[in-house]
Amino acid sequence: MKMKSIFISHYFLTEAKVEPMFISFIPSLKFGGGRISRKHLKLSLATMALLMTAAAPLAAQPPQQAAPEQPQHGEVEQLRSEVRQLRDEIERLRSLVEKKGAAEIGADNKTEANARPRPSPQAEMTGAPQSTAAPESPRLAVATKAQGGDLSGAGNLLRTDRITIGGYGDFQFRESSVSERADGGGTPTFQNTRLVLSVAAVLAEKQNIVFNSEIEYEFGSREIDVEQAYVEWKVRPEFAVRGGIIVPALGRFNTFHDSYLNLTTVRPLVNQFIVPSAYRDAGLGVRGRFRLPRKMKLSYELDLVNGMQGTNADDEPTPFSRLLGQSSAAEPGSIAFQDTNRNKAVVARLGLSPLKGFEFGTSLYNGRFNKSTEAPQSATIFFFDASYHRGPLSINGEYGRSNIVGGGIPRRSPAPPVVDPDDPETVTRLAEFVAERSPGQDGFYVEGTYQLRPRFVKAGFDEGGYVAPVVRYEAVRLDRTIPNFYLNRSRTTLGLNIAPSSTVIFKLDYLFNRTSGPVPRVPAGVGGPLFGVSPLPHVDFGRNGFAGSVAYVF
């Protein structure tokens, strides 16, 4: 850029009405080429603005006596020409600056839009993908469970977000033979099984500290629980620490138990009686994941928690019994309030994803469940899980086994008492027998689904919609030391899932139940067990039945 000094004296500019004055070092800009550095642009614009600001008060001054000498006509025309050129250069500079700024903003917006993880409609509704395959974008604070994260809802929480609200739920119809854990059964019923509201927030953007929570309304408003509420500091992808009410990774389904991820209406038996899904606990934990060679991934989790308890919310010794297993061993109102003994439980999981779409893992739980005034009793629970997802195909499976030891618990159970339906005394003896502690349980499930998108689905459903057949085979033994025991059973579920979009799914299931021994025909409860009074979980236990539901996520 060259500087040109212009000397003006003894005349005024007729267009600007400026009296005689000296103007020095007005820059006349010369550009060679189309690219101008931001530094030069800013300097030139600043100079022009300063010049115009200085000229404004001069133009407002009253005219003084004209100088005796008159400027030549040629000099005035030259000045006018240079002023016009200067205005043209200012306009060109302004245009260049505006274009450059708009281009940068557009590029930033495009980059952020590309970096924002978008839930895959296909992934959302086919069961949970691998936890080791959770998105690793630096802009992401918490991913949805459909993407292998911890957020219950349809949208992710970004680090630039302040707060996000989501949730899920399901509404069911069950025939009298169908129940879940210690709830339901005995009569056909419509049931508003659960509504879960999720609230997550970024507490510190740079340090990636987040808050995540779920408030669950079960059976209308009969039970209101805080399913999880914790603060997590994600130091690195390989290391994070969290504390509060958490859902430990005891098996695969316990973490990804949400209704829209469950392939059928009712949860697997092993996740009702061996681990009380959703098993949540109060404590501290660390976790992370590592990238390995050949695109493999390794994940780990280690939690120190209060641990399962030996009594339910009504202080009945239903947990770890032959009748109900661990279905009521982690009542949230008790487990997050006060530990019943001085010992803490440990939960750990190690997962490996050797290739995209496939993961397997092992997890372990160990802790005492007795009260501090009672003889020590403890449970050790082992789980192995595997999951495979490729395109429209999904296959999941788990195996769980428990070992329950301590004062008053036999290594091997005796044969159950013989019951006579016409003799109430024998019915009471059997009810008391199944109410005792079990020395151990085991169980498994294998399930699969294949999403279909025929022509009518593509034409009439939203993006992400599908129809899918579902099959699950499962078995559980609530006392694995007793052969031909009627509380040990298997189940085959055949179903059809219809999803008009990626956020709502209608499930139609028929459950074929088979018990290991004959079910005694004795009185039983409706809507739940008569613990210590009846040896059956509910009326019509062990029969086949239909179950259907609508599950949704938002």
Side-chain angles (χ1 to χ4, degrees):
M1 179 176 65
K2 298 182 179 180
M3 305 296 295
K4 179 179 179 182
S5 299
I6 304 173
F7 176 76
I8 308 172
S9 65
H10 302 297
Y11 66 91
F12 62 91
L13 299 176
T14 57
E15 287 188 355
K17 303 297 183 183
V18 181
E19 67 176 352
M21 60 181 176
F22 290 98
I23 303 177
S24 304
F25 296 101
I26 301 177
S28 176
L29 305 178
K30 295 184 179 179
F31 302 94
R35 296 183 60 87
I36 305 173
S37 69
R38 182 181 289 270
K39 180 178 179 181
H40 288 167
L41 289 176
K42 291 181 177 179
L43 180 61
S44 301
L45 288 176
T47 306
M48 298 305 106
L50 183 62
L51 175 62
M52 291 179 178
T53 303
L58 293 178
Q61 292 180 2
Q64 298 179 358
Q65 183 177 0
E69 296 183 5
Q70 299 295 327
Q72 298 295 326
H73 178 74
E75 294 178 350
V76 173
E77 292 299 325
Q78 182 180 358
L79 287 173
R80 289 176 177 173
S81 176
E82 291 182 353
V83 169
R84 284 194 295 269
Q85 291 179 7
L86 188 58
R87 289 175 179 171
D88 293 341
E89 294 295 346
I90 291 174
E91 290 300 323
R92 194 166 80 89
L93 286 172
R94 182 184 293 113
S95 177
L96 288 173
V97 170
E98 289 177 352
K99 288 181 179 180
K100 184 176 180 63
E104 290 179 351
I105 293 174
D108 290 342
N109 291 340
K110 184 176 181 181
T111 301
E112 182 169 352
N114 291 336
R116 181 184 293 266
R118 299 176 180 175
S120 168
Q122 181 174 332
E124 284 191 12
M125 304 306 295
T126 58
Q130 285 38 265
S131 58
T132 51
E136 298 180 356
S137 169
R139 296 179 182 271
L140 189 62
V142 185
T144 65
K145 290 185 180 180
Q147 293 182 303
D150 300 291
L151 192 61
S152 291
N156 296 317
L157 177 69
L158 301 182
R159 293 178 67 170
T160 53
D161 292 339
R162 179 64 184 92
I163 192 171
T164 186
I165 299 175
Y168 71 93
D170 66 338
F171 176 79
Q172 300 182 6
F173 172 79
R174 301 175 181 174
E175 286 196 317
S176 58
S177 60
V178 181
S179 64
E180 193 172 85
R181 296 189 302 182
D183 303 312
T187 60
T189 185
F190 292 102
Q191 185 181 91
N192 193 61
T193 310
R194 57 185 60 88
L195 169 64
V196 179
L197 298 179
S198 172
V199 179
V202 175
L203 304 181
E205 179 181 347
K206 292 184 179 179
Q207 289 79 21
N208 201 9
I209 301 176
V210 300
F211 168 77
N212 189 23
S213 66
E214 293 180 27
I215 301 174
E216 182 175 26
Y217 298 83
E218 286 191 302
F219 316 119
S221 58
R222 182 183 173 190
E223 296 180 15
I224 302 177
D225 302 330
V226 177
E227 188 161 302
Q228 60 178 359
Y230 63 86
V231 174
E232 182 172 26
W233 185 1
K234 300 184 177 183
V235 183
R236 299 177 56 85
E238 298 83 5
F239 180 78
V241 57
R242 61 176 178 167
I245 301 177
I246 61 178
V247 178
L250 183 54
R252 172 194 169 276
F253 189 89
N254 191 61
T255 301
F256 303 113
H257 61 268
D258 298 12
S259 303
Y260 64 99
L261 298 177
N262 184 13
L263 295 185
T264 65
T265 299
V266 180
R267 293 173 175 176
L269 293 170
V270 69
N271 296 103
Q272 298 180 41
F273 299 109
I274 296 183
V275 54
S277 298
Y279 165 50
R280 73 281 257 174
D281 215 323
L284 297 171
V286 295
R287 58 181 178 172
R289 58 182 178 271
F290 295 89
R291 293 176 177 270
L292 302 178
R294 300 176 182 267
K295 297 183 179 181
M296 295 190 297
K297 294 182 180 181
L298 178 72
S299 65
Y300 74 92
E301 180 175 330
L302 179 64
D303 302 313
L304 185 68
V305 295
N306 284 337
M308 299 183 193
Q309 298 182 353
T311 57
N312 63 10
D314 298 323
D315 204 31
E316 296 177 317
T318 59
F320 305 97
S321 66
R322 298 185 181 97
L323 180 65
L324 298 174
Q326 283 77 270
S327 60
S328 56
E331 302 289 342
S334 303
I335 203 167
F337 169 66
Q338 185 70 44
D339 198 352
T340 57
N341 55 60
R342 296 180 178 274
N343 300 89
K344 296 293 174 279
V346 176
V347 187
R349 183 182 185 274
L350 190 65
L352 177 65
S353 178
L355 52 90
K356 185 177 180 180
F358 175 64
E359 186 199 37
F360 62 90
T362 60
S363 49
L364 182 71
Y365 170 94
N366 180 262
R368 291 186 178 180
F369 57 83
N370 60 280
K371 294 182 178 180
S372 56
T373 56
E374 299 174 344
Q377 294 178 330
S378 64
T380 301
I381 303 174
F382 166 80
F383 261 80
F384 175 82
D385 63 87
S387 179
Y388 178 74
H389 298 262
R390 183 177 179 86
L393 175 65
S394 298
I395 301 174
N396 306 309
E398 285 186 85
Y399 170 79
R401 180 184 177 93
S402 69
N403 191 34
I404 304 166
V405 298
I409 303 176
R411 294 287 300 273
R412 188 175 185 86
S413 296
V418 178
V419 63
D420 181 359
D422 297 326
D423 185 356
E425 206 172 301
T426 61
V427 175
T428 300
R429 281 200 296 267
L430 182 60
E432 292 174 348
F433 175 80
V434 298
E436 295 174 353
R437 306 289 194 203
S438 168
Q441 311 117 339
D442 63 359
F444 72 93
Y445 76 88
V446 178
E447 64 181 8
T449 185
Y450 192 90
Q451 295 183 358
L452 302 173
R453 292 179 174 83
R455 186 173 303 174
F456 76 90
V457 169
K458 295 179 180 179
F461 287 13
D462 290 355
E463 182 180 359
Y466 63 88
V467 294
V470 176
V471 60
R472 174 191 289 163
Y473 180 75
E474 56 188 325
V476 66
R477 295 190 297 176
L478 295 186
D479 191 328
R480 54 183 167 80
T481 67
I482 303 178
N484 303 321
F485 186 39
Y486 70 94
L487 291 175
N488 299 337
R489 55 202 186 264
S490 62
R491 173 182 291 169
T492 301
T493 301
L494 301 179
L496 178 67
N497 292 347
I498 304 172
S501 73
S502 63
T503 55
V504 62
I505 176 173
F506 296 88
K507 305 177 186 180
L508 305 172
D509 303 316
Y510 196 83
L511 290 66
F512 298 88
N513 293 305
R514 181 179 179 274
T515 60
S516 297
V519 177
R521 298 305 174 189
V522 298
V526 173
L530 300 175
F531 190 74
V533 177
S534 173
L536 297 180
H538 54 77
V539 174
D540 289 338
F541 167 77
R543 296 183 177 180
N544 302 334
F546 170 81
S549 68
V550 53
Y552 50 88
V553 59
F554 54 89

